[in-house]
Short mmCIF file of all heavy atoms in Angstrom, two decimals:
data_model
loop_
_atom_site.label_atom_id
_atom_site.label_comp_id
_atom_site.label_asym_id
_atom_site.label_seq_id
_atom_site.Cartn_x
_atom_site.Cartn_y
_atom_site.Cartn_z
N ILE A 32 -8.57 21.22 -40.55
CA ILE A 32 -7.89 20.34 -41.52
C ILE A 32 -6.47 19.96 -41.09
O ILE A 32 -5.80 20.73 -40.45
CB ILE A 32 -7.89 21.03 -42.91
CG1 ILE A 32 -9.25 21.32 -43.40
CG2 ILE A 32 -7.05 20.21 -43.90
CD1 ILE A 32 -9.38 22.06 -44.66
N LEU A 275 22.38 43.96 -59.53
CA LEU A 275 23.34 44.04 -60.62
C LEU A 275 22.65 44.01 -61.96
O LEU A 275 23.26 44.28 -62.99
CB LEU A 275 24.40 42.94 -60.44
CG LEU A 275 25.30 43.02 -59.27
CD1 LEU A 275 26.16 41.77 -59.18
CD2 LEU A 275 26.11 44.30 -59.35
N ALA A 286 11.06 64.65 -55.34
CA ALA A 286 11.18 64.69 -53.90
C ALA A 286 12.66 64.58 -53.47
O ALA A 286 13.45 63.90 -54.10
CB ALA A 286 10.44 63.54 -53.16
N THR A 955 62.32 -46.75 9.78
CA THR A 955 61.32 -47.10 8.87
C THR A 955 61.75 -48.13 7.85
O THR A 955 62.82 -48.77 8.11
CB THR A 955 60.95 -45.78 7.99
OG1 THR A 955 62.05 -45.38 7.21
CG2 THR A 955 60.54 -44.66 8.95
N TRP A 1043 91.62 -1.77 26.94
CA TRP A 1043 92.16 -2.84 26.08
C TRP A 1043 91.91 -2.61 24.64
O TRP A 1043 90.84 -2.16 24.24
CB TRP A 1043 91.56 -4.13 26.51
CG TRP A 1043 91.89 -4.64 27.87
CD1 TRP A 1043 91.18 -4.42 29.08
CD2 TRP A 1043 93.10 -5.22 28.29
NE1 TRP A 1043 91.78 -4.85 30.11
CE2 TRP A 1043 93.10 -5.50 29.65
CE3 TRP A 1043 94.22 -5.71 27.62
CZ2 TRP A 1043 94.05 -6.06 30.45
CZ3 TRP A 1043 95.26 -6.35 28.29
CH2 TRP A 1043 95.15 -6.51 29.76
N HIS A 1251 79.35 -30.55 -33.02
CA HIS A 1251 78.49 -31.58 -32.44
C HIS A 1251 78.30 -32.75 -33.43
O HIS A 1251 78.32 -33.92 -33.02
CB HIS A 1251 77.13 -30.97 -32.16
CG HIS A 1251 76.28 -31.91 -31.32
ND1 HIS A 1251 76.55 -32.30 -30.06
CD2 HIS A 1251 75.08 -32.52 -31.68
CE1 HIS A 1251 75.61 -33.09 -29.61
NE2 HIS A 1251 74.74 -33.21 -30.62
#
Side-chain angles (χ1 to χ4, degrees):
I32 297 175
L275 294 175
T955 65
W1043 294 96
H1251 187 67

